[in-house]
Amino acid sequence: ACYEEALDTYLKTYGSDLLSLVDIYSYIGNILVDHRDFYDATSYYRRALRTSLKLYGENHPSVAQIYIRLGNIKKEEKIYSETIELYKRALDIQLHIYGGYHSDVAETYYLIGDTYRDDKNWNGRLSRYELRGEVDSAEKYLDRSISIYKKIDTIDHRILSVYNSLADLYEFREEHTSAITTCLEALELPFDIQKEISSVGAIYSRLSKLYNYEGEEELAVEYAQRKVDIFIEEHGREDPNTAEAYQLLAYYLLLPKDHRHALRNYQKAH
């Protein structure tokens, strides 16, 4: 109700031109998403969509962005079929506007692929055949996202999330060598580690787990230690993120011989 009152005041003060309406509807929708009020957020995004369609027609970046926001809500609600449908509508618009090689196109390919990846994790009703289809679709869209990002002149930090999702997919299929190769390829990209602590830390964690699966204990420990090092540099030793990194290192050190060193790392994390 308070948002309706604010909207009514805004309209009385500034008028109701369509461009302003798109902005205010989207703004209120964003606030409601932050408060996890997905029902009302969807209503405001739908208003923004109807107004954008009147203002621009179908093939406009604003329309594509609203479809993505609506898809994000459906993904939060784990309604994956609707999520994918909305993302694909956005992708069709972006391909029409930008062609095949644009960062927004790459990001939407990632969103679709990552949703297929999530669906195989959460949808217990999938048959084995349907699950295989979801996984294959995820791989296709994630591969396409990476291919586009790599053709764009400036490296986009979002590519790291795509690599991590693809590695997760390979891990799910127990293709550990492919998962490791994917992670290592991501780490070879020319990005600033300190600006991508979270993504790089996730890749280091995955490599630790994968190398442990493969019986490569020294490499498992090495990547766990790398995560500790970058988190100490970024957050300091007392930060909860650093504590989590220490716990990972302690776990892998417990697997071989150095129990005493592992205990010290565990104690640092508590």
Side-chain angles (χ1 to χ4, degrees):
C2 64
Y3 295 111
E4 290 292 341
E5 291 175 9
L7 177 60
D8 185 57
T9 302
Y10 178 92
L11 295 176
K12 286 178 180 177
T13 306
Y14 298 106
S16 58
D17 65 280
L18 295 181
L19 184 58
S20 297
L21 281 175
V22 172
D23 289 342
I24 192 66
Y25 288 150
S26 297
Y27 178 71
I28 294 173
N30 293 343
I31 293 172
L32 289 165
V33 167
D34 288 342
H35 288 84
R36 301 191 68 77
D37 184 351
F38 298 136
Y39 180 83
D40 285 335
T42 297
S43 175
Y44 277 98
Y45 285 150
R46 290 287 182 191
R47 293 193 209 181
L49 178 62
R50 287 193 296 270
T51 309
S52 289
L53 289 170
K54 288 180 184 177
L55 187 61
Y56 304 118
E58 180 79 9
N59 291 314
H60 190 275
S62 175
V63 175
Q65 187 58 44
I66 296 168
Y67 280 132
I68 287 172
R69 287 171 178 165
L70 287 165
N72 291 344
I73 288 176
K74 294 303 178 184
K75 189 173 184 182
E76 286 284 345
E77 295 174 333
K78 296 182 173 56
I79 307 174
Y80 294 117
S81 60
E82 292 185 31
T83 303
I84 290 167
E85 179 183 347
L86 288 160
Y87 286 160
K88 285 184 176 180
R89 293 186 75 170
L91 179 62
D92 287 342
I93 295 168
Q94 291 167 337
L95 288 169
H96 181 84
I97 297 169
Y98 303 120
Y101 296 100
H102 188 276
S103 59
D104 287 354
V105 174
E107 174 67 7
T108 306
Y109 271 111
Y110 161 65
L111 291 173
I112 296 170
D114 197 55
T115 304
Y116 277 121
R117 181 188 67 88
D118 276 351
D119 200 12
K120 60 84 178 167
N121 286 331
W122 290 97
N123 195 339
R125 295 187 301 274
L126 290 176
S127 68
R128 182 174 297 182
Y129 176 80
E130 290 169 328
L131 179 60
R132 186 181 302 117
E134 297 287 282
V135 171
D136 290 346
S137 293
E139 182 179 14
K140 179 180 75 172
Y141 280 95
L142 294 172
D143 275 337
R144 183 60 179 156
S145 177
I146 289 172
S147 174
I148 296 169
Y149 273 130
K150 289 170 76 172
K151 285 183 168 64
I152 298 171
D153 290 339
T154 304
I155 193 69
D156 191 308
H157 67 93
R158 292 176 292 183
I159 194 174
L160 293 174
S161 296
V162 192
Y163 271 109
N164 210 12
S165 289
L166 186 59
D168 178 76
L169 204 64
Y170 288 135
E171 185 179 339
F172 174 79
R173 294 198 302 211
E174 299 185 353
E175 298 174 8
H176 295 162
T177 300
S178 294
I180 289 169
T181 300
T182 300
C183 290
L184 294 176
E185 184 178 325
L187 294 176
E188 290 174 359
L189 296 171
F191 57 85
D192 185 343
I193 288 181
Q194 292 309 123
K195 292 181 179 178
E196 306 299 338
I197 289 291
S198 178
S199 294
V200 174
I203 291 172
Y204 285 160
S205 293
R206 189 175 300 282
L207 281 168
S208 292
K209 181 166 63 169
L210 289 165
Y211 278 125
N212 180 57
Y213 285 156
E214 296 298 297
E216 299 280 357
E217 290 91 352
E218 290 185 6
L219 286 170
V221 170
E222 177 187 330
Y223 281 97
Q225 181 66 62
R226 288 193 190 189
K227 182 173 181 178
V228 168
D229 292 342
I230 64 171
F231 275 55
I232 287 175
E233 185 173 349
E234 178 68 14
H235 302 296
R237 293 182 181 276
E238 305 304 319
D239 187 86
N241 293 293
T242 307
E244 184 272 334
Y246 271 124
Q247 287 176 327
L248 178 72
L249 179 58
Y251 174 76
Y252 288 117
L253 283 169
L254 279 168
L255 297 176
K257 305 170 185 176
D258 197 350
H259 290 210
R260 197 172 297 170
H261 188 188
L263 179 59
R264 285 201 302 272
N265 280 291
Y266 182 83
Q267 290 168 336
K268 288 177 185 177
H270 287 76

